Amino acid sequence: MSWRIANECAERRFGSAARKQIIMFLADKASDNGSGIWCSKGTIQRHTELSESTVKRTIIDFLREGILIETGQRQCKNGYTVIYRIVLERVAALEPTAEPDIETGVTVNPVQPEPGTGSTVNGVRGSRWTPNHPKTIHKPPTRRREAAEEVEDIEAEKILAAYPEDRVRDRRTSLRLIASALKAGVEPDDLKQVVKAYAKESEGYTRSKVSFSDNWFKMRRWEEGLAQIQADRDKAREAEAKGRASLVEWIHERHPLCRHITNRQIEDLIASTMVTPEQVRAAGLPA
């Protein structure tokens, strides 16, 4: 079980007691990223003591709302059990259960609800309100932050524009999910490359096989493509390192193949201190 997932779900409103009971049961089965939930609807019904129709309807609703997604299947004695993942971004967007602050009139010996404002180091008084208090006055965003957010929005638009136009759905959610990925450190050009690759790969798909943009980004279908890009880069770096090592070996041995080394390669090898100008000249090359 994951306390993190359970706490996230416990602090959000799901619309009814039945929905809350079912999501809490599923959260109890999840790993820390919300994945790995495999339990049949019959199991959920037995443990929650809700009706079978309520469980089935709620699971369908959660899937439609994006709170749950199906990630695979697991064999069991009755065939297979669907494996689910709770989408943390969607849960975090739900209304919190915390009640807003309510100010009341003065009573006898009233209690001071705000934090103390006594002297601190160097006699500087503390802030009257906590940062999340409704009366806290936040500083306006700086121009630098506004510019960064604007660039991020533009990049998200460019990435979504690379998705097949006929499969773009819930544009606002799609852009939000893209922005979330970029904030997590995904390079915009890499994500755009993965989207273009998927668009080309799925050109001939029938409607039953296509994935709409909101689901595609919600299910993080781009992760496999990013992993492949990184693997290709690692392979290219490894090949480049082997190539450089061969050039260095030729220079050290004054091999006849040294005549094929270009001036640019010589400059790079000297700059990387893999060889010295003296060694290059000794091999009959200009340094």
Side-chain angles (χ1 to χ4, degrees):
M1 71 175 290
S2 169
W3 286 108
R4 179 193 172 196
I5 305 299
N7 287 339
E8 286 282 347
C9 293
E11 294 174 356
R12 301 291 165 179
R13 295 184 182 275
F14 286 85
S16 72
R19 284 165 60 92
K20 187 63 167 277
Q21 194 170 349
I22 290 172
I23 199 65
M24 292 304 297
F25 177 80
L26 295 175
D28 187 57
K29 306 296 181 184
S31 58
D32 280 343
N33 65 354
S35 64
I37 305 169
W38 59 279
C39 52
S40 67
K41 297 179 181 65
T43 300
I44 299 173
Q45 187 268 328
R46 287 193 301 274
H47 283 267
T48 60
E49 300 184 34
L50 297 168
S51 68
E52 186 176 351
S53 61
T54 297
V55 172
K56 288 182 177 179
R57 184 179 65 253
T58 302
I59 294 295
I60 291 172
D61 288 343
F62 282 161
L63 290 169
R64 188 180 67 252
E65 295 164 16
I67 294 172
L68 284 182
I69 58 173
E70 297 181 2
T71 60
Q73 298 176 354
R74 186 185 179 104
Q75 295 297 322
C76 65
K77 62 180 181 181
N78 296 322
Y80 68 87
T81 300
V82 176
I83 302 175
Y84 297 105
R85 177 165 72 87
I86 295 175
V87 181
L88 295 178
E89 295 88 347
R90 186 67 189 89
V91 171
L94 297 175
E95 180 186 355
T97 57
E99 295 183 1
D101 291 341
I102 300 175
E103 296 186 3
T104 59
V106 178
T107 59
V108 178
N109 298 325
V111 177
Q112 177 68 23
E114 287 77 29
T117 57
S119 61
T120 58
V121 179
N122 297 328
V124 178
R125 297 176 68 83
S127 172
R128 185 180 180 192
W129 312 109
T130 57
N132 62 341
H133 194 282
K135 292 187 177 181
T136 298
I137 300 175
H138 294 279
K139 293 182 179 179
T142 63
R143 290 185 178 179
R144 181 179 297 178
R145 193 175 79 189
E146 286 181 335
E149 290 175 352
E150 185 177 348
V151 169
E152 193 173 85
D153 291 342
I154 292 173
E155 292 293 350
E157 290 279 1
K158 289 180 180 178
I159 291 168
L160 186 59
Y163 204 85
E165 187 177 357
D166 61 329
R167 282 174 259 158
V168 173
R169 185 179 68 182
D170 195 347
R171 185 179 185 82
R172 182 178 178 183
T173 296
S174 298
L175 290 172
R176 178 175 58 79
L177 292 169
I178 293 171
S180 177
L182 298 181
K183 285 180 180 177
V186 176
E187 289 294 330
D189 289 342
D190 290 349
L191 186 51
K192 190 189 301 181
Q193 182 179 336
V194 173
V195 171
K196 286 181 177 179
Y198 171 72
K200 184 175 181 180
E201 171 196 338
S202 60
E203 277 179 354
Y205 282 10
T206 60
R207 190 169 181 82
S208 61
K209 291 183 65 179
V210 301
S211 180
F212 288 97
S213 61
D214 54 340
N215 279 338
W216 197 83
F217 288 106
K218 191 178 297 178
M219 295 170 67
R220 301 171 72 86
R221 293 273 298 276
W222 42 266
E223 287 183 331
E224 186 176 347
L226 287 184
Q228 185 59 52
I229 289 175
Q230 187 58 48
D232 292 342
R233 284 176 179 161
D234 291 342
K235 190 179 297 183
R237 279 195 290 267
E238 184 179 349
E240 183 181 356
K242 286 182 178 178
R244 282 190 168 193
S246 296
L247 298 180
V248 170
E249 186 177 350
W250 292 353
I251 292 174
H252 286 169
E253 295 178 357
R254 304 177 187 178
H255 198 282
L257 290 175
C258 283
R259 65 179 181 274
H260 297 295
I261 302 178
T262 66
N263 291 337
R264 177 63 182 274
Q265 289 173 327
I266 293 172
E267 292 173 1
D268 289 343
L269 292 175
I270 293 176
S272 62
T273 68
M274 298 182 74
V275 295
T276 64
E278 291 75 16
Q279 290 172 324
V280 171
R281 284 191 289 270
L285 298 172

